[in-house]
Amino acid sequence: MQTWNDVIRLANHGSPAPDKRVEKTDAEWRAQLTPEQYHVTRQHGTERAFTGEYCEAHEAGLYACVCCGTPLYDSRTKFESGTGWPSFTQPVQENAVRYKKDTSYGMTRVEVLCNVCDAHQGHVFPDGPPPSGLRLCINSAAIKLVSEKQQA
């Protein structure tokens, strides 16, 4: 389980290598993704609060990267943060996501990226519930739910 100090260390010094890599051209990403998915994942955008498909979702399953299909978050770690975006306490495994210092918009934050294809997911904050204390604030446009029914 990662702590805020672990996240900061990884943002400053790099994350564990992913199990695989997926790389596509910009044209390939544009052809695969909706305009909103492309804006969020490839251009580091953000969907408006309380508008995402998974903000209020409670179905059991894994949330995978919309770009490469890598499982990133487990619904059992999802919680109601009241922020308007799906929030998770941790990724499914340490090398599923990577963290990067983000100084855009005059703020210093920690960005969450898919470690397999570099898709922007959202940001992580140190105000989540125990046991990790983390809130991975993720855009619905960056993920897709693979329900337990679909996994069976």
Side-chain angles (χ1 to χ4, degrees):
M1 170 130 352
Q2 295 175 330
T3 66
W4 182 243
N5 288 335
D6 294 331
V7 168
I8 295 300
R9 177 183 51 78
L10 291 169
N12 290 327
H13 302 292
S15 297
D19 295 333
K20 64 178 180 175
R21 287 288 300 158
V22 171
E23 296 181 13
K24 296 183 178 186
T25 66
D26 188 62
E28 290 171 318
W29 289 126
R30 283 184 187 274
Q32 173 185 328
L33 303 168
T34 69
E36 182 180 30
Q37 290 169 334
Y38 179 83
H39 173 68
V40 168
T41 62
R42 309 321 302 177
Q43 297 178 315
H44 303 262
T46 300
E47 64 198 12
R48 287 185 344 202
F50 300 101
T51 63
E53 176 182 2
Y54 301 118
C55 183
E56 303 293 329
H58 300 285
E59 187 176 351
L62 293 176
Y63 289 87
C65 176
V66 74
C67 293
C68 67
T70 300
L72 300 178
Y73 317 101
D74 189 313
S75 63
R76 292 173 292 190
T77 67
K78 188 174 186 288
F79 68 98
E80 297 298 327
S81 65
T83 61
W85 290 274
S87 297
F88 301 88
T89 59
Q90 64 188 39
V92 293
Q93 60 185 35
E94 187 176 348
N95 71 343
V97 300
R98 69 181 177 91
Y99 304 101
K100 180 180 172 186
K101 185 177 179 179
D102 177 3
T103 57
S104 62
Y105 303 105
M107 299 180 274
T108 299
R109 301 177 290 174
V110 177
E111 181 180 16
V112 179
L113 300 152
C114 173
N115 204 21
V116 172
C117 70
D118 299 328
H120 171 76
Q121 297 287 304
H123 291 86
V124 61
F125 302 95
D127 59 2
S132 72
L134 299 177
R135 173 173 53 94
L136 283 82
C137 191
I138 305 302
N139 290 283
S140 288
I143 55 178
K144 60 183 174 186
L145 176 63
V146 180
S147 71
E148 286 185 351
K149 294 174 191 169
Q150 292 171 312
Q151 294 175 35

